[in-house]
């Protein structure tokens, strides 16, 4: 649909539809397609500025940057992902989009951890947790705890990893929180397995794998399957 609008010279509508299409592709675990569509969106972004109102353009641009950061993260392009997230954080600060800003801060913490800057990563997570609690964003709190627990796993602190993941699991209940619950289970069960609690860990890993399979999250489902097989 976006390409049809583009060919018709309706660049604003084309831009919005292409961003939406890229988002759907990513939700279906099709990162190659999502990236290609996002490139087409970028190609007409300047033209779309003429047709779209400021708030509408900024909302679509924030969504586009989140998509591109997600794909870059999945590809292991940490420095490129960091640059994209910096742009997203700047945009969110400019527009006052606290919801997107919170998610960008969580992702930045994950990227900094991958770049072996654990101190900056933990500071990012602390800021995100403070922001989520201020906004009374239950999902944001749980997602930050999931990212923090994974960071402590990487640092070799199994006790802190399990503690934070368990705290997050209390919050991550219900259909909207399924993905976050599965991510928390990955961290909690990895710590449990490391500490020899194999039966408990296997149960949690099986639940995480089932959730990722139901959601079509191929990348994280592979992690769950690998952990389960071990």
């Amino acid at each position: 649909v976006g390409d049809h609008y583009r060919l018709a010279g309706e660049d604003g509508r084309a831009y919005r539809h292409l961003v939406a299409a890229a988002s759907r592709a990513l939700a279906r675990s099709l990162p190659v397609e999502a990236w290609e569509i996002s490139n087409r969106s970028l190609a007409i972004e300047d033209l779309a500025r003429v047709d779209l109102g400021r708030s509408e353009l900024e909302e679509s641009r924030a969504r586009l940057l989140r998509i591109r950061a997600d794909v870059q993260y999945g590809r292991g392009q940490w420095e490129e992902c960091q640059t994209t997230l910096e742009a997203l954080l700047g945009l969110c600060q400019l527009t006052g989009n606290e919801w997107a800003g919170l998610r960008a801060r969580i992702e930045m913490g994950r990227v900094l951890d991958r770049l072996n800057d654990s101190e900056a990563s933990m500071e990012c997570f602390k800021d995100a947790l403070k922001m989520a609690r201020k906004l009374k964003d239950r999902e944001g709190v749980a997602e930050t705890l999931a990212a923090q627990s994974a960071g402590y796993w990487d640092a070799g602190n199994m006790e802190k990893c399990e503690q934070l993941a368990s705290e997050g699991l209390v919050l991550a209940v219900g259909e909207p929180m399924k993905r976050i619950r599965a991510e928390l289970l990955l961290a909690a069960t990895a710590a449990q397995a490391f500490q020899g609690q194999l039966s408990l860990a296997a149960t949690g890993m099986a639940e995480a794998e089932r959730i990722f399979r139901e959601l079509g999250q191929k990348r994280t489902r592979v992690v769950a399957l690998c952990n389960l097989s071990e």
Side-chain angles (χ1 to χ4, degrees):
V1 175
D3 285 325
H4 287 302
Y5 282 128
R6 180 175 58 82
L7 292 170
E10 297 185 50
D11 296 304
R13 297 181 73 178
Y15 181 73
R16 286 192 298 106
H17 280 280
L18 285 170
V19 171
S23 181
R24 288 194 299 271
L26 192 60
R28 292 166 53 206
S29 294
L30 299 171
V32 174
E33 288 83 350
W35 184 259
E36 191 273 329
I37 296 170
S38 78
N39 281 336
R40 300 210 304 270
S41 302
L42 280 178
I44 62 169
E45 189 171 73
D46 286 339
L47 295 171
R49 294 177 191 275
V50 178
D51 297 337
L52 296 178
R54 180 176 174 180
S55 62
E56 196 172 24
L57 177 68
E58 289 169 345
E59 182 182 345
S60 291
R61 177 159 173 74
R63 192 176 182 187
L64 179 61
L65 288 169
R66 290 185 67 207
I67 293 165
R68 292 178 71 80
D70 195 295
V71 175
Q72 288 166 333
Y73 187 92
R75 291 175 172 176
Q77 297 172 334
W78 314 126
E79 292 179 355
E80 293 88 341
C81 186
Q82 182 183 15
T83 300
T84 302
L85 288 170
E86 285 171 350
L88 177 56
L89 283 166
L91 178 62
C92 291
Q93 186 173 6
L94 182 68
T95 61
N97 189 339
E98 294 181 309
W99 186 91
L102 170 58
R103 270 70 193 176
R105 199 165 295 282
I106 296 169
E107 291 309 310
M108 181 65 84
R110 287 178 170 139
V111 170
L112 290 169
D113 183 55
R114 294 295 186 181
L115 288 168
N116 297 316
D117 193 345
S118 57
E119 186 176 344
S121 172
M122 286 303 174
E123 281 302 313
C124 221
F125 291 144
K126 285 178 185 177
D127 289 345
L129 192 58
K130 183 178 179 180
M131 187 176 180
R133 284 173 172 157
K134 176 189 171 186
L135 294 171
K136 294 181 170 45
D137 186 337
R138 184 186 179 96
E139 184 177 328
V141 171
E143 189 160 7
T144 305
L145 289 170
Q148 273 186 311
S149 61
Y152 277 111
W153 163 259
D154 288 338
N157 190 334
M158 301 300 122
E159 184 178 348
K160 192 69 173 177
C161 170
E162 186 176 6
Q163 176 198 327
L164 290 171
S166 298
E167 186 180 338
L169 284 168
V170 174
L171 298 172
V173 178
E175 192 70 22
M177 293 257 216
K178 283 177 72 173
R179 176 188 58 81
I180 298 170
R181 179 173 182 79
E183 290 177 359
L184 286 159
L185 283 167
L186 278 186
T189 56
Q192 290 161 356
F194 187 84
Q195 297 172 85
Q197 303 170 29
L198 299 181
S199 178
L200 183 62
T203 301
M205 286 179 192
E207 182 185 350
E209 186 278 326
R210 175 182 56 77
I211 292 172
F212 286 134
R213 174 165 34 90
E214 290 173 354
L215 295 176
Q217 299 285 314
K218 296 177 184 177
R219 188 173 72 205
T220 37
R221 186 189 174 205
V222 168
V223 176
L225 286 169
C226 289
N227 289 353
L228 194 57
S229 67
E230 292 177 4

